[in-house]
Amino acid sequence: MKSNNYVLLVEDNPNDIFLMRRVFDIDLLEYSVIVFDKAHQAIAFLNERKNNNHLPNLVLLDIKLLAGNGFDVLEHIKNDAILKKIPTVMMSSSDRQDDKQKASDLGCDAYFEKLRTYVSLKQQLPMIIDSWAIDYENDFR
Amino acid sequence: MISGKLKILLIEDELSDYKLISHQINKIVEEPILVHVNTYTEFTSELKKFVPEVILCDYRLSGFNGMDVLNYTMENAPGTYLVFVTGTVNDEEIAANTILNGASGYILKKHMPVLHKKLLPHFEEIIKRRNKGKTSSDQREMFDTVQNFIENAMKENNLHIESYLQIKKSLAQLKGMKKDA
């Protein structure tokens, strides 16, 4: 049974969404996953959840999105006094140093190049979630 | 969970690892006072200036290693709690050597997702020591205070001695003047 914990995935590639959902359904049973493929939708959702006091335990961001990009979402999160405590991890197919630098400058907690196979995703995604997800009931921050 | 403050010196030259370790610390310490260094010079300077209650140290660093940190700490801040958080996997000899030489613990980076759980017993031990008596950082602060007091007292004594010698010299001069008269 799923708890109230959830991860917000901001991603526009249907294949990546499918594979990530599969890992969540099989290996990360304690988390639900909510997906948006446009930056403004993700931002609106976060603002609404901020008002309802039900923030995601982690945000996973791709850079390229259908509308806007992951940096827009990251910037919104890290400039908001309440949202900024949400750990935010970028997973992108871009290995450009300037993208990594920009993510770091905007306050991104971690940056990973996209995992290319399902096997590596199955191994790494749970580690990333376990390392970075915040536990609102037990963690100080 | 650690209520209140804990002074932590983190020696880590990988930015991503530093961010993750600091995130894990924030899970279990209410008010961590965290100083991050990545060079040997910064480490020696902060050890004296910041006076940490615990040092968390990567083992393989650029230009120096964990044993350098351990030796310097044992010499200059003995009793400071030191835990290695390292990616040096399965090197039993290194692990054993560091513990034998006075490190308080050794955690592998492969346990990073649960690092906070691995760190918690160490932090609790530090708090226990703090509650029992003075920690090494408190002792060193007291030591520095006493040392400063003694140095100041010696300076004052020297001033008194100088004044005394000056008075003695003036008296001798006066005495000489009297004899001449």
Side-chain angles (χ1 to χ4, degrees):
Chain A
M1 202 177 85
K2 301 275 183 187
S3 63
N4 278 332
N5 295 332
Y6 72 101
V7 170
L8 176 62
L9 172 63
V10 189
E11 167 68 73
D12 71 334
N13 183 315
N15 291 336
D16 289 339
I17 294 170
F18 173 79
L19 293 177
M20 283 204 196
R21 275 194 189 281
R22 192 174 163 76
V23 176
F24 274 97
D25 286 344
I26 296 170
D27 298 307
L28 290 161
L29 291 172
E30 65 273 37
Y31 294 97
S32 319
V33 59
I34 294 175
V35 185
F36 290 101
D37 56 11
K38 299 183 185 74
H40 65 86
Q41 287 176 341
I43 290 170
F45 174 82
L46 283 166
N47 288 338
E48 183 214 312
R49 287 300 170 104
K50 179 175 71 172
N51 295 333
N52 296 340
N53 200 20
H54 186 198
L55 297 175
N57 303 74
L58 177 77
V59 175
L60 279 176
L61 286 175
D62 188 10
I63 294 181
K64 288 177 204 154
L65 299 171
L66 282 184
N69 61 51
F71 293 126
D72 300 332
V73 183
L74 175 62
E75 197 168 9
H76 181 80
I77 291 171
K78 294 305 175 185
N79 284 328
D80 184 289
I82 293 171
L83 296 179
K84 72 178 178 189
K85 69 180 172 189
I86 309 170
T88 307
V89 173
M90 282 199 130
M91 289 183 81
S92 171
S93 46
S94 165
D95 61 353
R96 289 170 49 177
Q97 192 51 43
D98 54 346
D99 279 341
K100 292 178 186 173
Q101 189 59 51
K102 186 172 180 183
S104 178
D105 292 345
L106 290 173
C108 186
D109 293 290
Y111 188 106
F112 296 92
E113 282 173 40
K114 251 185 196 168
L115 303 161
R116 308 216 175 263
T117 63
Y118 179 66
V119 173
S120 56
L121 188 69
K122 197 174 162 59
Q123 282 172 347
Q124 296 295 316
L125 190 60
M127 274 192 71
I128 292 169
I129 305 292
D130 287 343
S131 297
W132 283 105
I134 195 166
D135 176 348
Y136 289 108
E137 281 174 20
N138 295 307
D139 294 351
F140 279 117
R141 260 185 269 175
Chain B
M1 306 300 267
I2 307 298
S3 303
K5 294 176 179 166
L6 186 67
K7 290 173 78 179
I8 303 161
L9 180 61
L10 176 56
I11 310 169
E12 174 61 68
D13 58 358
E14 275 291 326
L15 183 63
S16 53
D17 284 346
Y18 154 68
K19 282 188 176 181
L20 187 46
I21 293 169
S22 110
H23 172 71
Q24 295 279 327
I25 290 169
N26 279 321
K27 280 173 172 275
I28 52 169
V29 184
E30 190 179 17
E31 286 181 73
I33 306 170
L34 186 65
V35 168
H36 170 224
V37 298
N38 57 20
T39 68
Y40 189 70
T41 316
E42 284 173 345
F43 154 64
T44 56
S45 157
E46 289 299 337
L47 186 65
K48 192 170 172 15
K49 212 164 56 182
F50 173 59
V51 193
E53 292 176 278
V54 55
I55 299 170
L56 301 181
C57 182
D58 192 3
Y59 193 85
R60 293 197 193 282
L61 297 145
S62 38
F64 63 117
N65 66 35
M67 201 54 86
D68 299 326
V69 170
L70 180 59
N71 289 337
Y72 188 89
T73 305
M74 295 299 287
E75 224 168 82
N76 295 279
T80 304
Y81 209 97
L82 194 154
V83 179
F84 286 107
V85 180
T86 178
T88 311
V89 185
N90 292 334
D91 199 334
E92 290 296 326
E93 200 182 343
I94 290 179
N97 276 341
T98 55
I99 299 296
L100 287 172
N101 280 286
S104 315
Y106 197 95
I107 300 171
L108 293 175
K109 280 185 180 171
K110 70 176 180 183
H111 297 305
M112 206 65 111
V114 289
L115 181 68
H116 61 291
K117 288 181 186 162
K118 301 265 175 195
L119 283 174
L120 189 57
H122 293 289
F123 291 174
E124 283 172 341
E125 176 62 27
I126 294 163
I127 300 302
K128 209 187 285 175
R129 288 184 192 181
R130 187 202 276 169
N131 293 339
K132 262 188 193 167
K134 294 288 180 187
T135 62
S136 60
S137 89
D138 290 333
Q139 286 168 352
R140 273 193 294 138
E141 274 175 14
M142 277 172 62
F143 178 80
D144 287 345
T145 309
V146 172
Q147 198 174 30
N148 285 338
F149 175 80
I150 290 169
E151 275 172 16
N152 287 335
M154 281 169 71
K155 273 183 203 161
E156 276 184 29
N157 274 344
N158 286 339
L159 278 176
H160 289 314
I161 289 167
E162 277 174 27
S163 306
Y164 168 75
L165 289 173
Q166 189 61 48
I167 292 167
K168 201 175 165 188
K169 197 175 156 190
S170 304
L171 281 172
Q173 279 174 347
L174 273 173
K175 208 173 171 186
M177 280 165 70
K178 259 190 178 177
K179 264 186 191 170
D180 291 345

